[in-house]
Amino acid sequence: MGLTGFIGLGHMGEGMARQLQSKGHKLAVYDVRNEPVEGLVSMGAENAGSVAGVAKASDVVVTMLPASADVEQVVLGPDGVLANGREGQLVMDMSTVDPETSDKLAAELAKAGIGFVDAPVGRLASHAWAGESLFMVGAHDDDFARVKPLLEAMGTTIYHCGGPGTGTRTKLVNNFLTIGLCQMNAEVLTLSQAFGLDLETTFGVLNGTTGTNGQLKVAYANKVLKGDTEPGFRVTLAHKDMLLICNAANAVNAPVPLAASVRESLSLAKAGGYAERDFSSALDHWCERAGVPKARFKDAG
Ligand code: NAD
């Protein structure tokens, strides 16, 4: 009792949990993989051993898992947080999931007197490890006050978007723009490669006009253009987000033809062997399909 629980110590979660632990929030942690658990334990966190162990030890349980099905299993499954939780607890899901999943978690947990906050995360994994993330939070006011110190320990920018479910919906709106721009960068730079243009010159022009975008300036500049396609944010998760975006948009009759096209471009990247690479490697995939050299800065090595 009295600890903060953290389930899901992947590219994002491990860095976020490390920020919490290093800033005085004593954690009970769990992941199906041992390696990140051991890292947190060496910093003073408790190895809860299972989802149930986290639920029993914690007042607030944070989840940072890949997709909707994982979160539903961990929170609502037979050995999950709800089954092992108690009235007065709070679950904060920080994964990017279907809005219907957030709504379902809020409703099911409420029946047991357990609060729910959806607080998906903006920016890159490198920001999460540096404690510089942005959070989009859906929460009742009293629950927001309860998680605010945790969010302040993990990030620099917090938006309280409204009640439960609004954080997840804001995240999908944001990721449509983010992932859409990433795919646009891939096609634009593939054309530059096909024209045989100088990459550094093209990069300078694109960042010097109104075409400027953070995906090109920050993510591409630090990852794929330097030859680094280690995730980061995996292609398979970007594809999952585009599926969520298309489905959620269709559910409210919002036409999103570009989103469908981006989703299928990522389907091709997944099928082409890029599923576990960083999502900026959409560029490598596109260059490969076009039969042009991969775009790399001259000093990329
Ligand atoms: P990841 O796959 O690297 O990490 C997920 C972690 O959850 C892994 O360590 C995995 O072992 C663990 N896990 C899976 N099922 C589990 C279970 N049943 N019990 C315990 N642990 C389990 O994913 P990530 O990149 O850290 O992303 C997590 C979420 O954050 C996703 O929803 C993603 O879309 C979102 N997100 C990612 C980024 C990014 O840049 N990587 C940025 C913002 C948001």
Side-chain angles (χ1 to χ4, degrees):
M1 272 289 276
L3 303 181
T4 297
F6 207 112
I7 303 170
L9 304 166
H11 290 100
M12 295 292 289
E14 184 178 359
M16 292 158 61
R18 281 171 175 263
Q19 286 296 322
L20 284 171
Q21 183 68 35
S22 68
K23 290 174 184 163
H25 298 276
K26 180 100 173 70
L27 298 186
V29 299
Y30 176 64
D31 192 290
V32 288
R33 298 178 305 121
N34 257 336
E35 196 189 327
V37 172
E38 280 163 17
L40 263 300
V41 168
S42 74
M43 295 175 70
E46 189 174 294
N47 179 357
S50 63
V51 169
V54 172
K56 286 179 181 144
S58 319
D59 290 333
V60 176
V61 177
V62 179
T63 50
M64 190 54 169
L65 296 157
S68 304
D70 305 304
V71 179
E72 291 202 22
Q73 170 70 23
V74 162
V75 178
L76 304 179
D79 298 319
V81 177
L82 175 59
N84 292 282
R86 60 194 171 277
E87 195 174 340
Q89 262 181 325
L90 186 64
V91 172
M92 175 160 70
D93 179 39
M94 306 192 73
S95 327
T96 305
V97 298
D98 197 312
E100 285 179 8
T101 295
S102 298
D103 295 347
K104 183 174 167 186
L105 294 177
E108 293 299 319
L109 291 166
K111 288 180 198 165
I114 300 174
F116 176 75
V117 171
D118 47 304
V121 186
R123 302 181 182 152
L124 306 170
S126 54
H127 295 108
W129 281 74
E132 294 171 355
S133 295
L134 174 152
F135 305 111
M136 294 149 263
V137 188
H140 296 302
D141 288 346
D142 49 343
D143 292 335
F144 179 70
R146 210 166 147 189
V147 297
K148 198 162 168 255
L150 302 177
L151 297 171
E152 284 170 345
M154 290 187 281
T156 54
T157 315
I158 304 168
Y159 286 94
H160 187 184
C161 305
T166 57
T168 293
R169 287 176 171 85
T170 305
K171 173 70 178 172
L172 294 193
V173 169
N174 176 73
N175 272 30
F176 181 10
L177 191 59
T178 305
I179 300 170
L181 285 174
C182 186
Q183 183 61 32
M184 186 74 88
N185 290 337
E187 291 185 36
V188 163
L189 290 179
T190 300
L191 180 61
S192 171
Q193 291 295 98
F195 284 158
L197 297 176
D198 179 73
L199 177 62
E200 274 79 357
T201 306
T202 305
F203 189 81
V205 169
L206 295 177
N207 277 312
T209 70
T210 49
T212 309
N213 68 66
Q215 275 300 312
L216 183 67
K217 203 183 263 186
V218 181
Y220 269 53
N222 291 312
K223 295 290 290 179
V224 67
L225 294 177
K226 284 188 175 162
D228 175 9
T229 61
E230 285 295 315
F233 183 42
R234 291 180 287 139
V235 164
T236 196
L237 289 183
H239 179 258
K240 176 256 318 182
D241 284 4
M242 293 313 300
L243 277 172
L244 295 177
I245 289 158
C246 291
N247 291 341
N250 286 340
V252 293
N253 291 323
V256 282
L258 186 59
S261 163
V262 172
R263 182 196 66 207
E264 289 314 304
S265 290
L266 288 166
S267 295
L268 288 169
K270 267 182 82 178
Y274 287 86
E276 299 305 320
R277 309 312 300 166
D278 188 69
F279 82 139
S280 63
S281 72
L283 173 56
D284 284 356
H285 168 251
W286 225 235
C287 285
E288 191 180 301
R289 294 186 79 85
V292 299
K294 288 179 177 172
R296 294 287 185 269
F297 286 142
K298 290 184 191 72
D299 62 3

